[in-house]
Amino acid sequence: MSRKRPGAAALSALVAAAGCVVTLVVAGSLTEREEVAAGVQMDRRTTTAAQAVRSETRRYADILRTTAAAAGAQEELTAIEYGRITQPLRTMQLAGATSIGLVVPSTDDQLAAVQERWRGLGLPNLTLHPKGHGQHAFGVVTTTLDGSPPGAGIDLMQAEAPAAALAEARRSGQVAISDTYQLLIDQTVPADRRQNSFVLAAPIFRGSGQSFLGWLVLGVRGQDFMRDTFEQTAQGLLDLTLTADAADRREVTVARLAAAGDGPRDLTRTVDVPVADKRWTLRVAASSKALPGARSIVPLAVTAGGLGLTAVLVVLVWVLATGRDRARGQVRAATAELRAGEAASRRQADLLGAVLDGISDGVGVVGPDGRFLLHNPAAIRILGRGDPVEGMESWQGHFGLFRVDGVTPFPTGELPLVRALAGEDSDQVEMVVRHPTHPEGLVISVSARPMETSAGGRGAVAVFHDITERKRVETELRGFAAVVAHDLKSPLSSILGYADLMLEDLNQVAADGDPEALAEARRGAAKVIDGANRMQRLITELLDYAAARDATLRLADVDLRSLVDDVVTTRTDAPDGPDGPGSRPDVFVGPMPAVRADPVLLRQVIDNLIGNAIKYTPPGRAARIDVTARTEADGTVRVQVADRGIGIPAGEHALVFDSFHRASNGTAHPGTGLGLAICRRIVERHGGRIEAGPNPGGGTVFVFTVPAAEHDPVPVPGVEPVESG
Ligand code: ADP
């Protein structure tokens, strides 16, 4: 695969870094803004809470002050008047308020008078219970507001916190608030329900004379007092803790509400709240997670969105940056593939071209219109022409196509290529090709097939080869077989026939010694021998004929004269033949140049010709033969054998060289018709020609050529030459 360019990675990394930085900066600034907003929220809620605490305590103080003023306005504050004045407080259901009481001061020596006076004012059962000595403050009438039992005659100076508040109220003439403390009554309840309480004390002054009458004291449980206020203020979002100083300066909790949910209290505020003559402390805590407007998912969403967008951008940049590389890689791969394909096709085409150029079979391809698209060199060689030809109709005349008889024009519709264009296969259709530029004529075998052309139409391809030689051999073989069959069978059947007769004759000789029968038997034996000789001759000539074609030429410089003399001697010295005594041939042998030939085969030629010249002589006449030779202008040696025999009928001189051909006038003489065929083979293998012609004045003249000798030959007749080649 293609290598990723470094630019793609760098670009993607850059986009990733930039995306992350932008996302984090935006998210950071959003968080910062949210923190500021949370602070503002917190401040606002803290202020609201502080105001609530303040206004609630002030409300209690105001109620107490107003009630105290009402009490001071009475001519005489009786128990009944007190009850009437404080009645509204009982119905107001002030949160956390436990009791309201009228407290009057007394010194030790005033005790009896005070007790007597209030017994007179409607509290006949009042008994004061002083604690210690000095100043006392007795609750003469106490009304419970929460159902706790009223206590009368108790000396409030016994408890430090209320005592201080009473003193302060009397001194300042204002409502005073005590430090927090635990009510006596609360010390009997379970620890978790004990609350810190405080009292509000309002001084009662009679008329405008400002004579001090006592205090109106409101007892309040801190937690109950603040519960509703806190709940309304906190709205489930804030922890609120209200603390005050205890008498011993310890900080004690007046009220507490934990309502800020689960999150960490990351937002806290502490404010002082003025309560009557004191200052309480309000602590507010909240979790920014829970506080509306303090923390949103916006920064988180922005971060997630930003990072997501960055990731998408990075992927996009990567894909775009590497896309070119990928595309280029693909193009490169495809191009390489195409080139490989092209090269392969070219190689195939080259190979195909080489094959077509090299094969000996002719190949021709035609398009749908019969126009030749392709033909190879062998096609031109076999057909004898490669010039363009128009239309199928003209093929027969152009190429000279005939039936195997060599004369009937081949019908166009049956030509293999024409049939292939019509969709038909043809196999090994034989025809003859002959025209002016190819006059010798060839037999060819043609096969053709329809084929798809690259343009999509139907074309055709033909393959053909020269079978002339094969046909010739076939013809030859057919004749050969027929003659062999005939020429071997006829002597054989005569042998059998005579052998049969001989047997009968011999039986008769054995039976009665008939001399006639004996003579018949002898004639029969002679016929048997004759038949056997004929068979032997035929077999020998068949072998010679095959050898003349197949034997290796062993060329040497041959003394022709010695060779001819040797043949003549052998032929003429033979014992009297069938022609009997007096038929001894008269042979003249002229001077002769040396030749270059295979001496064994050349001897066979000479022997055949001289043998025929002797054989084809009219009966009763001696053969008259002239054997001469001369060197021609072209350097070959021309050898001539002329006789005065029976001659060959006109028109048959060329045919006698065909195998098994016997001239019409010569059949009286024994023969196979192979001798001259053997001669022609041998002469042609030496590069020469052989022909026959009439001898003027009667008889036949045979002429053949052979190459002249290269050096002087060693004249040793009948001896195998030492040089070969
Ligand atoms: P064969 O002699 O066995 O018949 P050849 O091939 O030698 O076969 O000769 C072929 C034929 O040619 C002979 O049958 C004969 O008719 C004719 N022929 C050959 N030589 C002569 C000749 N010298 N004179 C007349 N006819 C001949």
Side-chain angles (χ1 to χ4, degrees):
M1 280 305 291
S2 72
R3 192 167 45 84
K4 300 276 179 285
R5 288 190 311 164
L11 197 60
S12 299
L14 197 68
V15 170
C20 289
V21 166
V22 169
T23 300
L24 293 180
V25 165
V26 170
S29 85
L30 280 173
T31 306
E32 209 169 283
R33 278 178 59 181
E34 286 205 340
E35 273 168 11
V36 171
V40 171
Q41 271 273 327
M42 195 60 182
D43 289 342
R44 196 170 53 74
R45 285 178 186 271
T46 302
T47 305
T48 306
Q51 274 174 356
V53 172
R54 194 172 167 184
S55 70
E56 196 63 1
T57 49
R58 185 177 289 164
R59 185 168 75 94
Y60 277 39
D62 286 349
I63 290 167
L64 198 61
R65 186 187 307 112
T66 312
T67 310
Q74 299 301 315
E75 278 297 311
E76 187 71 82
L77 182 63
T78 63
I80 291 168
E81 282 300 317
Y82 168 79
R84 196 178 52 77
I85 290 166
T86 58
Q87 177 60 33
L89 272 74
R90 284 196 289 269
T91 59
M92 270 179 189
Q93 297 196 336
L94 295 169
T98 53
S99 63
I100 179 136
L102 178 62
V103 176
V104 295
S106 170
T107 56
D108 288 339
D109 49 353
Q110 291 173 334
L111 282 170
V114 169
Q115 181 172 288
E116 202 50 39
R117 177 174 146 73
W118 281 99
R119 281 185 177 172
L121 287 173
L123 300 166
N125 301 324
L126 179 68
T127 306
L128 302 177
H129 303 286
K131 287 279 178 177
H133 298 284
Q135 284 292 332
H136 302 281
F138 295 107
V140 289
V141 195
T142 304
T143 315
T144 73
L145 299 174
D146 62 350
S148 46
I154 294 167
D155 186 353
L156 265 63
M157 286 301 177
Q158 66 184 298
E160 192 183 347
L166 294 176
E168 176 58 22
R170 181 171 186 175
R171 189 197 62 75
S172 67
Q174 298 296 322
V175 175
I177 190 164
S178 75
D179 290 334
T180 53
Y181 65 103
Q182 234 160 48
L183 293 180
L184 288 177
I185 191 169
D186 269 4
Q187 286 168 6
T188 62
V189 301
D192 61 328
R193 280 172 49 201
R194 282 179 206 161
Q195 301 184 22
N196 284 317
S197 302
F198 59 90
V199 295
L200 286 168
I204 305 169
F205 293 100
R206 166 88 53 82
S208 55
Q210 297 293 306
S211 71
F212 182 68
L213 192 69
W215 301 271
L216 204 56
V217 175
L218 183 67
V220 182
R221 282 197 178 90
Q223 187 67 31
D224 293 345
F225 165 58
M226 276 290 122
R227 180 178 297 120
D228 288 350
T229 305
F230 273 6
E231 279 177 0
Q232 279 173 20
T233 311
Q235 291 177 333
L237 302 170
L238 305 173
D239 287 345
L240 295 169
T241 307
L242 190 60
T243 59
D245 288 340
D248 57 4
R249 299 296 105 199
R250 253 182 332 109
E251 194 178 64
V252 293
T253 301
V254 177
R256 179 199 298 270
L257 178 72
D262 294 332
R265 288 5 183 201
D266 53 339
L267 294 170
T268 55
R269 293 287 187 275
T270 302
V271 286
D272 280 348
V273 183
V275 178
D277 58 321
K278 292 196 176 349
R279 303 190 78 81
W280 284 354
T281 303
L282 178 66
R283 291 200 171 74
V284 184
S287 168
S288 59
K289 273 165 96 179
L291 205 60
R295 166 85 38 106
S296 72
I297 60 157
V298 172
L300 194 67
V302 165
T303 305
L307 291 178
L309 203 65
T310 302
V312 169
L313 273 176
V314 168
V315 169
L316 208 64
V317 166
W318 176 260
V319 166
L320 286 176
T322 58
R324 265 172 74 98
D325 285 349
R326 268 199 308 280
R328 194 178 293 134
Q330 281 166 357
V331 166
R332 214 180 291 126
T335 308
E337 220 165 85
L338 207 64
R339 286 217 184 101
E342 270 174 9
S345 317
R346 213 178 300 123
R347 274 199 302 279
Q348 274 182 3
D350 289 351
L351 193 65
L352 202 63
V355 168
L356 282 177
D357 286 354
I359 56 170
S360 58
D361 282 11
V363 175
V365 177
V366 294
D369 54 356
R371 194 186 297 269
F372 272 82
L373 302 175
L374 179 152
H375 53 263
N376 68 344
I380 296 172
R381 202 166 55 240
I382 293 168
L383 295 175
R385 56 195 317 168
D387 47 332
V389 52
E390 290 295 326
M392 298 172 250
E393 301 307 324
S394 53
W395 287 354
Q396 191 278 321
H398 182 82
F399 294 110
L401 304 175
F402 298 90
R403 295 262 199 211
V404 280
D405 64 7
V407 289
T408 314
F410 208 103
T412 299
E414 289 180 36
L415 285 168
L417 266 182
V418 175
R419 290 178 57 189
L421 283 174
E424 285 175 57
D425 290 357
S426 302
D427 284 294
Q428 299 178 3
V429 176
E430 293 179 1
M431 61 182 78
V432 169
V433 179
R434 196 177 63 245
H435 50 77
T437 58
H438 213 345
E440 72 277 21
L442 293 178
V443 187
I444 62 171
S445 168
V446 187
S447 298
R449 293 280 184 281
M451 65 175 276
E452 292 283 310
T453 64
S454 54
R458 175 186 283 157
V461 58
V463 178
F464 47 95
H465 55 277
D466 180 356
I467 57 167
T468 312
E469 177 63 15
R470 202 187 81 198
K471 290 307 275 185
R472 194 181 65 75
V473 170
E474 269 177 23
T475 311
E476 208 165 79
L477 268 177
R478 259 201 302 277
F480 197 81
V483 170
V484 166
H486 174 262
D487 285 17
L488 284 179
K489 261 171 82 179
S490 68
L492 194 58
S493 46
S494 84
I495 286 172
L496 286 172
Y498 281 112
D500 230 20
L501 289 173
M502 265 171 67
L503 197 60
E504 275 177 33
D505 291 341
L506 287 174
N507 285 340
Q508 208 176 321
V509 170
D512 53 19
D514 179 3
E516 193 66 20
L518 184 60
E520 277 299 316
R522 284 212 175 96
R523 269 196 296 279
K527 291 287 183 187
V528 168
I529 290 167
D530 182 46
N533 278 333
R534 277 165 58 201
M535 287 180 72
Q536 189 182 44
R537 196 164 54 241
L538 179 61
I539 289 169
T540 304
E541 290 202 350
L542 284 172
L543 292 173
D544 285 348
Y545 183 63
R549 186 187 60 195
D550 302 329
T552 312
L553 276 189
R554 296 171 180 277
L555 294 178
D557 291 334
V558 179
D559 180 351
L560 184 59
R561 174 64 197 255
S562 301
L563 197 149
V564 173
D565 284 348
D566 190 53
V567 170
V568 171
T569 306
T570 309
R571 280 282 176 182
T572 53
D573 280 0
D576 287 343
D579 295 335
S583 65
R584 191 181 180 85
D586 175 10
V587 182
F588 167 78
V589 180
M592 293 184 171
V595 296
R596 184 157 188 84
D598 182 319
V600 176
L601 296 178
L602 184 60
R603 184 193 169 91
Q604 221 177 330
V605 174
I606 307 268
D607 185 61
N608 261 317
L609 294 179
I610 292 176
N612 279 351
I614 294 169
K615 183 167 69 178
Y616 295 105
T617 301
R621 281 198 9 214
R624 174 78 180 85
I625 306 165
D626 293 293
V627 186
T628 53
R630 68 164 191 263
T631 304
E632 293 284 280
D634 61 1
T636 59
V637 174
R638 181 176 187 276
V639 183
Q640 178 175 306
V641 179
D643 65 55
R644 294 267 167 212
I646 61 169
I648 295 170
E652 291 188 48
H653 286 97
L655 298 176
V656 293
F657 295 99
D658 288 349
S659 50
F660 305 112
H661 186 89
R662 309 203 68 211
S664 49
N665 63 338
T667 47
H669 305 266
T672 60
L674 279 173
L676 290 178
I678 292 169
C679 290
R680 182 168 70 179
R681 267 195 181 168
I682 291 171
V683 170
E684 285 181 352
R685 285 192 70 192
H686 281 80
R689 291 175 289 103
I690 186 167
E691 47 200 33
N695 196 1
T700 313
V701 178
F702 285 88
V703 175
F704 72 92
T705 56
V706 276
E710 291 168 2
H711 310 285
D712 281 341
V714 185
V716 186
V719 173
E720 285 275 43
V722 286
E723 191 190 347
S724 73

